Amino acid sequence: MHMSKAPKLASKLTKKCAYLRREFNGLSMDAQKGVRGATEARQALQRKFNSDVIAAHSAVEDTRKKAADFDRAAVCLEHPSAPSIGRVSQLAKAGALLGIGKGHRLVLFKSVAEQARDSADRAEARLDRSADDLAATRLLAEILDELPKHGGDIKSPKLAEKRKQYQAHLAAHRKESK
């Protein structure tokens, strides 16, 4: 796992929301016109979007775990009796028990932990700033999934609450991005 993975995934995800909404709408219109495979293509795109959201949040969590492991490794270098939590801290503890000098390793572990935390913070901040954009994209996909159940009528009263939420998230995103 690279420390830049979380910010890259968050960046890619947030940059493609508007494109995905446009694609969802286009594929939904194609499905209403009877184009073969349009619904399946939209659903596949929706599944990919959902898995990308999960992957981005998971990458943030993994980066935080990696930071904690490097923090623990620094502690294990200084205090070999301290418990280890991951591979890096286990190696650091083994090195400390074998009497391998801690010198620059201690500074390195602390530096890597700080970089990992910073990376996770940047990715999380980006995802937080784009929460409305992500929610709008998710809601649009849900609305378009339910559209055939309501005879293709986007203004169906049964879809009104989701449409209202979608429009609120979209308006909030546009207001934030100005």
Side-chain angles (χ1 to χ4, degrees), residues 26-42:
L27 289 168
S28 180
M29 287 184 210
D30 287 348
Q32 288 177 357
K33 292 176 187 172
V35 175
R36 184 184 303 203
T39 301
E40 292 79 14
R42 183 183 49 75

Side-chain angles (χ1 to χ4, degrees), residues 15 19 34 58-59 62 70 85 98 127-128 137 156 158 166:
K15 285 181 180 180
Y19 165 77
S58 179
D62 290 346
F70 276 97
I85 60 170
L98 291 172
L127 290 172
D128 288 346
T137 305
S156 168
K158 294 180 180 175
Y166 165 71

Side-chain angles (χ1 to χ4, degrees), residues 24 39-49:
F24 287 159
T39 301
E40 292 79 14
R42 183 183 49 75
Q43 289 171 343
L45 204 56
Q46 181 180 351
R47 282 191 302 274
K48 175 76 170 109
F49 170 72

Side-chain angles (χ1 to χ4, degrees), residues 63-74 85 89 113 116-117:
T63 305
R64 290 203 188 284
K65 286 179 184 175
K66 188 60 72 176
D69 191 21
F70 276 97
D71 278 335
R72 178 54 65 172
I85 60 170
S89 57
R117 265 191 304 281

Side-chain angles (χ1 to χ4, degrees), residues 3 63-80 84-97 100-118:
M3 283 183 280
T63 305
R64 290 203 188 284
K65 286 179 184 175
K66 188 60 72 176
D69 191 21
F70 276 97
D71 278 335
R72 178 54 65 172
V75 170
C76 288
L77 268 180
E78 292 178 319
H79 309 285
S84 57
I85 60 170
R87 290 181 294 180
V88 177
S89 57
Q90 288 171 349
L91 288 172
K93 183 176 182 173
L97 290 172
I100 298 173
K102 58 184 176 184
H104 70 282
R105 286 180 194 83
L106 184 61
V107 174
L108 177 68
F109 288 156
K110 288 181 179 182
S111 172
V112 170
E114 183 60 36
Q115 289 173 7
R117 265 191 304 281
D118 181 54

